[in-house]
Amino acid sequence: MTDASRLAAFDAVPVIDIASAEDPAQRPALARRMTRAAEEVGFIYITGHANSPQQLDAVFDQGRAFFDLPDDEKRRVDLRKSPHFRGYLGLLERGNDPTFKGNYLEAFHVAQDLPPDHPDVGARMPLRGPNLWPAEPVGFRQVVYSYFLNTYGVGITLLELFAEGMGLPTDFFTRHYARSIAQLRLLRYPQQDDPSVELLARAHRDTGVITLLYQDDTGGLEVENKAGEWIAAPPMRGAYIINIGNTLQFWSGGRLTSTNHRVRNRGSGAPRYSLPFFMTPDYDTAVRAIGTEGDADAPSFHVGDQMLRTYRRIWPSVA
C-alpha cells in the first residue's frame, strides 16, 4: 500500500489556487493539475479555500488558550471520557500497544458533533457521537467547530477534483462520506531546546485518505522525494498543505502517491502548533483498488475497523 511508484525527484512542493473549482470552465484543468501533483509529489499547498488567514489565526488562538489551561481543567475533557476518541490527549499518552512510546505532544480531538437523539448515537456506532467541549476558553466550541465544518467542505472539494482528474465520476470518493469519521486534531509540540532531539515527528506516511494541514510559523515539515532528498515544506500564511495517505494510494490503484514526511526540530525556543485534519470516509466503507470492485478475491479493508484498531493501539480508551 505504501509503494510510491509515481513519485518524482521534485525540489519543491507545488502551490495551487483552488478558487477556480467554482468555475465550470476552469475546473477540468484544475482537476488535472491537482491530480498530477498528487501523483508526482503527494504534497500540495492549496490557496483559494474557504478559511481566511484570520479564521485560521482564531483557531490557533483558541488552541493556545486551551493548552495553556491548568492540567486539571484540560482533564475535564480527557480523551478517556469519550468512547469516540474525542477531547484532550496529554504528553506521551498511549493505548494498548506496549511497544508504542507515545508522542511528545498534546492534542485536542474533534469530529462531527452528533446530538444524543441521532440514529448513529442510538445504535452505538463506533466513532460516531458527540464531541467533548471545554467550558474555557470562551468561544472555543464555536470557533473550532466552525473551522471543522469549513475544512470538511474543503476536503470534499479536493476529493471531487482528484476523482475528476482521474477520469472518474465526481462523487467516486465522496459518495462514501455521508457518515464520515473525519477528525480534526489541534496539536501542541512543547518547546524543545535540546539540540540532540533532531525530530519532533519521525519519518512516516499518513494512513488515511487525505490530510489537510495548517501549521504555525515554527516550521520544520520536510517531504522526501524520489531521490531520497528531504525537501522543506515551510509554513505559508493562509495556505493548507495537503498530502495523500496510504488509503487513497491503495484506493486509486497506486496512481496517487503517499509520501514520506517528517518534522525536524528547529530549536525555535517556542512550542509548535499545527492543525491536521484527516478526511476519513464512513465507518463502514470497504476500500478496494479502482478496477477491482467486482473481484471478491481482490485485497480490501474496512475503514472503520482499521481506524478503531489504530486509535486503540496508540491512544487511551474507555473500552
Coordinates of all heavy atoms in Angstrom, one line a residue, residues 6-76:
R6 N 5.0 6.4 -8.6 CA 5.0 7.6 -9.5 C 5.7 8.8 -8.8 O 5.7 9.9 -9.4 CB 3.5 8.0 -9.7 CG 2.8 6.9 -10.6 CD 1.3 7.3 -10.7 NE 0.6 6.3 -11.5 CZ 0.1 6.5 -12.7 NH1 0.2 7.7 -13.3 NH2 -0.5 5.6 -13.4
L7 N 6.3 8.6 -7.7 CA 6.9 9.7 -7.0 C 8.1 10.3 -7.9 O 8.8 9.6 -8.5 CB 7.5 9.3 -5.7 CG 8.1 10.3 -4.8 CD1 7.0 11.3 -4.3 CD2 8.8 9.6 -3.6
A8 N 8.2 11.6 -7.9 CA 9.2 12.3 -8.8 C 10.3 12.9 -7.9 O 10.2 13.0 -6.7 CB 8.5 13.4 -9.6
A9 N 11.4 13.2 -8.5 CA 12.5 13.9 -7.8 C 12.3 15.4 -7.8 O 13.1 16.2 -8.2 CB 13.8 13.6 -8.5
F10 N 11.2 15.8 -7.1 CA 10.8 17.2 -7.1 C 11.7 17.9 -6.1 O 12.4 17.3 -5.2 CB 9.3 17.3 -6.6 CG 9.1 16.7 -5.2 CD1 9.2 17.4 -4.1 CD2 8.6 15.3 -5.2 CE1 9.0 16.8 -2.8 CE2 8.4 14.7 -3.9 CZ 8.6 15.4 -2.8
D11 N 11.8 19.3 -6.3 CA 12.6 20.1 -5.4 C 11.8 21.1 -4.7 O 12.4 21.9 -3.9 CB 13.8 20.8 -6.2 CG 13.3 21.6 -7.3 OD1 12.0 21.9 -7.4 OD2 14.1 22.1 -8.2
A12 N 10.5 21.1 -4.8 CA 9.7 22.0 -4.1 C 8.2 21.4 -4.1 O 7.9 20.7 -5.1 CB 9.7 23.4 -4.7
V13 N 7.5 21.7 -3.1 CA 6.1 21.3 -3.1 C 5.2 22.3 -3.9 O 5.4 23.5 -3.7 CB 5.5 21.3 -1.6 CG1 4.0 21.0 -1.6 CG2 6.3 20.2 -0.8
P14 N 4.4 21.9 -4.9 CA 3.7 22.8 -5.7 C 2.6 23.6 -4.9 O 2.1 23.1 -3.9 CB 3.1 21.9 -6.8 CG 3.0 20.5 -6.1 CD 4.2 20.5 -5.2
V15 N 2.3 24.8 -5.4 CA 1.3 25.6 -4.8 C 0.2 25.8 -5.9 O 0.5 26.2 -7.0 CB 1.9 27.0 -4.5 CG1 0.8 27.9 -3.8 CG2 3.1 26.9 -3.5
I16 N -1.0 25.5 -5.5 CA -2.2 25.5 -6.4 C -3.3 26.3 -5.8 O -3.7 26.0 -4.6 CB -2.6 24.1 -6.8 CG1 -1.5 23.3 -7.5 CG2 -3.9 24.2 -7.7 CD1 -1.8 21.9 -7.9
D17 N -3.9 27.3 -6.5 CA -5.0 28.0 -6.1 C -6.3 27.3 -6.6 O -6.5 27.0 -7.8 CB -5.0 29.4 -6.7 CG -6.1 30.3 -6.3 OD1 -7.1 29.8 -5.8 OD2 -6.0 31.6 -6.5
I18 N -7.1 26.8 -5.6 CA -8.3 26.0 -6.0 C -9.6 26.9 -6.1 O -10.6 26.3 -6.2 CB -8.5 24.9 -5.0 CG1 -8.9 25.4 -3.6 CG2 -7.3 24.0 -4.8 CD1 -9.5 24.4 -2.6
A19 N -9.4 28.2 -6.1 CA -10.6 29.0 -6.2 C -11.4 28.7 -7.5 O -12.6 28.9 -7.6 CB -10.3 30.5 -6.2
S20 N -10.7 28.3 -8.6 CA -11.3 28.1 -9.9 C -12.1 26.8 -9.9 O -12.8 26.5 -10.9 CB -10.3 28.0 -11.0 OG -9.3 27.0 -10.7
A21 N -12.2 26.1 -8.7 CA -13.0 24.9 -8.6 C -14.5 25.3 -8.8 O -15.4 24.5 -9.1 CB -12.8 24.2 -7.3
E22 N -14.8 26.6 -8.5 CA -16.2 27.0 -8.6 C -16.6 27.5 -10.0 O -17.7 27.8 -10.3 CB -16.4 28.2 -7.7 CG -16.1 27.9 -6.2 CD -16.9 26.8 -5.7 OE1 -18.1 26.7 -6.0 OE2 -16.3 25.9 -5.0
D23 N -15.6 27.4 -10.9 CA -15.8 27.9 -12.3 C -15.8 26.6 -13.2 O -14.8 26.0 -13.4 CB -14.7 28.8 -12.7 CG -14.9 29.4 -14.2 OD1 -15.7 28.8 -14.9 OD2 -14.2 30.3 -14.5
P24 N -17.0 26.2 -13.8 CA -17.0 25.0 -14.6 C -16.1 25.1 -15.8 O -15.6 24.0 -16.2 CB -18.5 25.0 -15.1 CG -19.2 25.8 -14.1 CD -18.3 26.9 -13.6
A25 N -15.8 26.2 -16.3 CA -14.9 26.3 -17.5 C -13.4 26.0 -17.1 O -12.6 25.5 -17.9 CB -15.0 27.7 -18.1
Q26 N -13.0 26.4 -15.8 CA -11.6 26.2 -15.4 C -11.4 24.9 -14.6 O -10.3 24.5 -14.4 CB -11.2 27.4 -14.6 CG -11.2 28.7 -15.3 CD -10.7 29.9 -14.5 OE1 -9.5 29.8 -14.1 NE2 -11.5 30.8 -14.2
R27 N -12.5 24.4 -14.1 CA -12.4 23.2 -13.2 C -11.7 22.0 -13.8 O -10.8 21.4 -13.1 CB -13.8 22.9 -12.6 CG -13.7 21.7 -11.6 CD -15.1 21.6 -11.0 NE -15.2 20.4 -10.2 CZ -15.5 20.3 -8.9 NH1 -15.7 21.5 -8.2 NH2 -15.6 19.2 -8.2
P28 N -11.9 21.6 -15.0 CA -11.2 20.4 -15.5 C -9.7 20.6 -15.5 O -9.0 19.7 -15.2 CB -11.7 20.3 -17.0 CG -13.1 21.0 -16.9 CD -12.9 22.1 -16.0
A29 N -9.2 21.8 -15.9 CA -7.7 22.0 -15.9 C -7.2 21.9 -14.5 O -6.1 21.4 -14.2 CB -7.4 23.3 -16.5
L30 N -7.9 22.5 -13.5 CA -7.5 22.4 -12.1 C -7.5 21.0 -11.6 O -6.5 20.6 -10.9 CB -8.5 23.3 -11.3 CG -8.3 23.2 -9.7 CD1 -7.0 23.7 -9.3 CD2 -9.5 23.9 -9.0
A31 N -8.5 20.2 -12.0 CA -8.5 18.8 -11.5 C -7.3 18.1 -12.1 O -6.7 17.2 -11.4 CB -9.8 18.2 -12.0
R32 N -6.9 18.3 -13.3 CA -5.8 17.6 -13.9 C -4.5 18.0 -13.2 O -3.6 17.2 -12.9 CB -5.7 17.9 -15.4 CG -6.8 17.2 -16.2 CD -6.5 17.3 -17.7 NE -6.5 18.7 -18.2 CZ -7.6 19.3 -18.7 NH1 -8.8 18.7 -18.7 NH2 -7.5 20.5 -19.1
R33 N -4.4 19.3 -12.9 CA -3.2 19.8 -12.2 C -3.1 19.3 -10.8 O -2.0 18.9 -10.4 CB -3.2 21.4 -12.2 CG -1.9 22.0 -11.7 CD -2.0 23.5 -11.7 NE -0.8 24.1 -11.2 CZ -0.7 25.3 -10.7 NH1 -1.8 26.1 -10.7 NH2 0.4 25.8 -10.2
M34 N -4.2 19.2 -10.1 CA -4.2 18.7 -8.8 C -3.8 17.2 -8.8 O -3.0 16.7 -8.0 CB -5.6 18.8 -8.1 CG -5.9 20.3 -7.7 SD -5.0 20.8 -6.3 CE -5.7 19.8 -5.0
T35 N -4.3 16.5 -9.7 CA -4.1 15.0 -9.8 C -2.6 14.8 -10.2 O -2.0 13.9 -9.6 CB -5.0 14.4 -10.8 OG1 -6.4 14.6 -10.4 CG2 -4.8 12.9 -10.9
R36 N -2.1 15.5 -11.1 CA -0.7 15.3 -11.4 C 0.2 15.6 -10.2 O 1.2 14.8 -10.0 CB -0.3 16.3 -12.6 CG 1.2 16.1 -13.0 CD 1.5 16.9 -14.2 NE 2.9 16.7 -14.6 CZ 3.5 17.4 -15.6 NH1 2.8 18.2 -16.3 NH2 4.8 17.2 -15.8
A37 N 0.0 16.6 -9.4 CA 0.7 16.9 -8.2 C 0.6 15.8 -7.2 O 1.6 15.4 -6.5 CB 0.3 18.2 -7.6
A38 N -0.6 15.2 -7.1 CA -0.8 14.1 -6.2 C -0.1 12.8 -6.6 O 0.3 12.0 -5.8 CB -2.3 13.8 -6.0
E39 N 0.1 12.7 -7.9 CA 0.8 11.5 -8.5 C 2.3 11.7 -8.2 O 3.0 10.7 -7.8 CB 0.5 11.4 -10.0 CG -0.9 11.0 -10.3 CD -1.1 11.1 -11.8 OE1 -0.3 11.7 -12.6 OE2 -2.1 10.5 -12.3
E40 N 2.8 12.8 -8.5 CA 4.3 13.0 -8.6 C 4.9 13.5 -7.3 O 6.1 13.3 -7.1 CB 4.6 14.0 -9.7 CG 4.2 13.5 -11.1 CD 4.6 14.5 -12.2 OE1 5.1 15.6 -11.9 OE2 4.4 14.1 -13.4
V41 N 4.1 14.1 -6.4 CA 4.7 14.7 -5.2 C 4.0 14.1 -4.0 O 4.6 13.8 -3.0 CB 4.6 16.2 -5.2 CG1 5.2 16.8 -3.9 CG2 5.3 16.8 -6.4
G42 N 2.6 14.1 -4.0 CA 1.8 13.6 -2.9 C 1.6 14.7 -1.9 O 0.9 14.4 -0.9
F43 N 2.2 15.8 -2.0 CA 2.0 17.0 -1.2 C 1.7 18.2 -2.0 O 2.3 18.4 -3.1 CB 3.2 17.3 -0.3 CG 3.3 16.6 1.0 CD1 3.6 15.2 1.1 CD2 3.1 17.3 2.2 CE1 3.6 14.6 2.3 CE2 3.1 16.6 3.4 CZ 3.4 15.3 3.4
I44 N 0.7 19.0 -1.6 CA 0.3 20.2 -2.4 C -0.1 21.3 -1.4 O -0.8 21.1 -0.5 CB -0.9 19.9 -3.3 CG1 -0.7 18.6 -4.1 CG2 -1.2 21.1 -4.2 CD1 -2.1 18.0 -4.6
Y45 N 0.5 22.5 -1.6 CA 0.0 23.7 -1.0 C -1.3 24.1 -1.7 O -1.3 24.2 -3.0 CB 0.9 24.9 -1.0 CG 2.1 24.8 -0.1 CD1 3.4 24.5 -0.7 CD2 2.1 25.1 1.2 CE1 4.5 24.4 0.1 CE2 3.2 25.0 2.0 CZ 4.4 24.7 1.5 OH 5.6 24.7 2.3
I46 N -2.4 24.4 -1.0 CA -3.5 25.0 -1.7 C -3.9 26.3 -1.1 O -3.9 26.5 0.2 CB -4.8 24.0 -1.7 CG1 -5.3 23.8 -0.2 CG2 -4.5 22.8 -2.4 CD1 -6.7 23.2 -0.2
T47 N -4.3 27.3 -1.9 CA -4.8 28.6 -1.5 C -6.2 28.7 -2.2 O -6.7 27.8 -2.9 CB -3.9 29.7 -2.0 OG1 -3.9 29.6 -3.5 CG2 -2.5 29.6 -1.4
G48 N -6.9 29.8 -1.9 CA -8.2 30.0 -2.5 C -9.3 29.1 -1.9 O -10.3 28.8 -2.6
H49 N -9.2 28.7 -0.7 CA -10.1 27.8 0.0 C -11.0 28.6 0.9 O -11.0 29.8 0.9 CB -9.4 26.7 0.8 CG -8.4 27.3 1.7 ND1 -8.7 27.8 2.9 CD2 -7.0 27.3 1.6 CE1 -7.6 28.2 3.6 NE2 -6.6 28.0 2.8
A50 N -11.8 27.9 1.7 CA -12.9 28.6 2.5 C -12.5 29.2 3.8 O -13.3 30.0 4.3 CB -14.0 27.5 2.8
N51 N -11.3 29.0 4.3 CA -10.9 29.5 5.5 C -9.9 30.7 5.3 O -8.8 30.5 4.8 CB -10.3 28.5 6.4 CG -11.3 27.5 7.1 OD1 -12.2 28.0 7.7 ND2 -11.1 26.2 6.9
S52 N -10.2 31.9 5.8 CA -9.4 33.0 5.7 C -8.2 32.9 6.6 O -8.3 32.2 7.6 CB -10.1 34.3 5.9 OG -10.4 34.4 7.3
P53 N -7.1 33.6 6.4 CA -6.0 33.6 7.4 C -6.4 34.1 8.7 O -6.0 33.5 9.8 CB -5.0 34.6 6.7 CG -5.3 34.6 5.3 CD -6.7 34.4 5.2
Q54 N -7.4 35.0 8.8 CA -7.9 35.4 10.1 C -8.6 34.3 10.8 O -8.5 34.2 12.1 CB -8.8 36.7 9.9 CG -8.1 37.9 9.4 CD -7.7 37.9 7.9 OE1 -8.4 37.1 7.2 NE2 -6.7 38.6 7.5
Q55 N -9.4 33.5 10.1 CA -10.1 32.4 10.7 C -9.1 31.4 11.2 O -9.3 30.8 12.3 CB -11.1 31.8 9.7 CG -12.3 32.6 9.4 CD -13.1 32.1 8.3 OE1 -12.6 31.8 7.2 NE2 -14.4 32.0 8.4
L56 N -8.1 31.1 10.4 CA -7.1 30.2 10.8 C -6.3 30.6 12.1 O -6.0 29.9 13.0 CB -6.1 29.9 9.7 CG -6.7 29.2 8.5 CD1 -5.9 29.4 7.2 CD2 -6.8 27.7 8.8
D57 N -6.0 31.9 12.1 CA -5.4 32.5 13.3 C -6.3 32.4 14.5 O -5.8 32.1 15.7 CB -5.1 34.0 13.1 CG -4.0 34.3 12.1 OD1 -3.2 33.3 11.8 OD2 -3.9 35.4 11.6
A58 N -7.6 32.5 14.4 CA -8.5 32.4 15.5 C -8.5 31.0 16.1 O -8.6 30.8 17.3 CB -9.9 32.8 15.1
V59 N -8.4 30.0 15.2 CA -8.3 28.6 15.7 C -7.0 28.4 16.5 O -7.0 27.8 17.6 CB -8.4 27.6 14.6 CG1 -8.4 26.2 15.1 CG2 -9.7 27.8 13.8
F60 N -5.9 28.9 16.0 CA -4.6 28.8 16.7 C -4.7 29.5 18.1 O -4.3 29.0 19.1 CB -3.5 29.4 15.9 CG -2.8 28.4 15.0 CD1 -2.4 28.8 13.7 CD2 -2.6 27.1 15.4 CE1 -1.8 27.9 12.9 CE2 -1.9 26.2 14.6 CZ -1.6 26.6 13.3
D61 N -5.4 30.7 18.1 CA -5.5 31.4 19.4 C -6.3 30.6 20.4 O -5.9 30.6 21.6 CB -6.2 32.8 19.1 CG -5.3 33.8 18.4 OD1 -4.1 33.6 18.3 OD2 -5.9 34.8 17.8
Q62 N -7.4 30.0 19.9 CA -8.2 29.2 20.8 C -7.4 27.9 21.3 O -7.5 27.6 22.5 CB -9.5 28.7 20.2 CG -10.5 29.8 19.9 CD -11.1 30.4 21.2 OE1 -11.3 29.6 22.1 NE2 -11.5 31.6 21.2
G63 N -6.6 27.3 20.4 CA -5.8 26.2 20.8 C -4.8 26.6 21.8 O -4.6 25.8 22.8
R64 N -4.1 27.7 21.6 CA -3.1 28.1 22.6 C -3.7 28.4 23.9 O -3.2 28.0 25.0 CB -2.4 29.4 22.1 CG -1.5 29.2 20.9 CD -0.7 30.5 20.6 NE 0.0 30.3 19.3 CZ -0.4 30.7 18.1 NH1 -1.6 31.4 18.0 NH2 0.3 30.6 17.1
A65 N -4.9 29.0 24.0 CA -5.5 29.3 25.2 C -6.0 28.0 25.9 O -5.8 27.9 27.2 CB -6.7 30.2 25.0
F66 N -6.4 27.1 25.2 CA -6.8 25.8 25.8 C -5.6 25.1 26.4 O -5.6 24.6 27.5 CB -7.6 24.9 24.8 CG -7.8 23.5 25.3 CD1 -8.9 23.3 26.2 CD2 -7.0 22.4 25.0 CE1 -9.1 22.0 26.8 CE2 -7.2 21.2 25.5 CZ -8.3 21.0 26.4
F67 N -4.6 24.9 25.6 CA -3.4 24.2 26.1 C -2.7 24.8 27.2 O -2.0 24.2 28.0 CB -2.4 23.9 24.9 CG -2.9 22.9 23.9 CD1 -3.0 23.3 22.5 CD2 -3.3 21.6 24.3 CE1 -3.5 22.3 21.6 CE2 -3.8 20.7 23.3 CZ -3.8 21.1 22.0
D68 N -2.9 26.2 27.4 CA -2.3 26.9 28.5 C -3.1 26.7 29.8 O -2.6 27.2 30.8 CB -2.2 28.4 28.2 CG -1.0 28.7 27.2 OD1 -0.1 27.8 27.1 OD2 -1.0 29.8 26.6
L69 N -4.3 26.1 29.7 CA -5.1 25.9 30.9 C -4.3 24.9 31.9 O -3.5 24.1 31.5 CB -6.4 25.3 30.6 CG -7.4 26.2 29.8 CD1 -8.6 25.3 29.4 CD2 -7.8 27.4 30.7
P70 N -4.6 25.0 33.2 CA -4.1 24.0 34.1 C -4.5 22.6 33.7 O -5.5 22.4 33.1 CB -4.7 24.4 35.5 CG -5.1 25.9 35.3 CD -5.5 26.0 33.9
D71 N -3.6 21.7 34.1 CA -3.9 20.3 33.7 C -5.2 19.8 34.2 O -5.9 19.1 33.4 CB -2.8 19.4 34.2 CG -2.9 18.0 33.6 OD1 -2.6 17.8 32.4 OD2 -3.2 17.0 34.4
D72 N -5.6 20.1 35.4 CA -6.9 19.6 35.9 C -8.1 20.2 35.1 O -9.1 19.5 34.9 CB -7.1 19.9 37.4 CG -7.1 21.4 37.7 OD1 -6.7 22.2 36.9 OD2 -7.4 21.7 38.8
E73 N -8.0 21.4 34.5 CA -9.0 21.9 33.6 C -9.1 21.2 32.3 O -10.2 20.8 31.8 CB -8.8 23.4 33.4 CG -9.1 24.3 34.6 CD -10.5 24.3 35.0 OE1 -11.4 24.3 34.1 OE2 -10.8 24.2 36.2
K74 N -7.9 20.9 31.7 CA -7.9 20.1 30.5 C -8.4 18.7 30.7 O -9.1 18.1 29.8 CB -6.5 20.1 29.9 CG -6.0 21.5 29.4 CD -4.7 21.4 28.8 CE -3.5 21.3 29.8 NZ -2.2 21.6 29.2
R75 N -8.2 18.1 31.9 CA -8.6 16.8 32.1 C -10.1 16.7 32.3 O -10.7 15.5 32.3 CB -8.0 16.2 33.4 CG -6.5 16.1 33.3 CD -6.1 15.0 32.2 NE -4.7 14.9 32.1 CZ -4.1 14.1 31.1 NH1 -4.8 13.4 30.3 NH2 -2.8 14.1 31.0
R76 N -10.9 17.8 32.4 CA -12.3 17.7 32.4 C -12.9 17.2 31.1 O -14.0 16.7 31.0 CB -12.9 19.1 32.7 CG -12.6 19.6 34.1 CD -13.2 21.0 34.2 NE -12.8 21.6 35.5 CZ -13.5 21.4 36.7 NH1 -14.6 20.7 36.6 NH2 -13.1 22.0 37.8

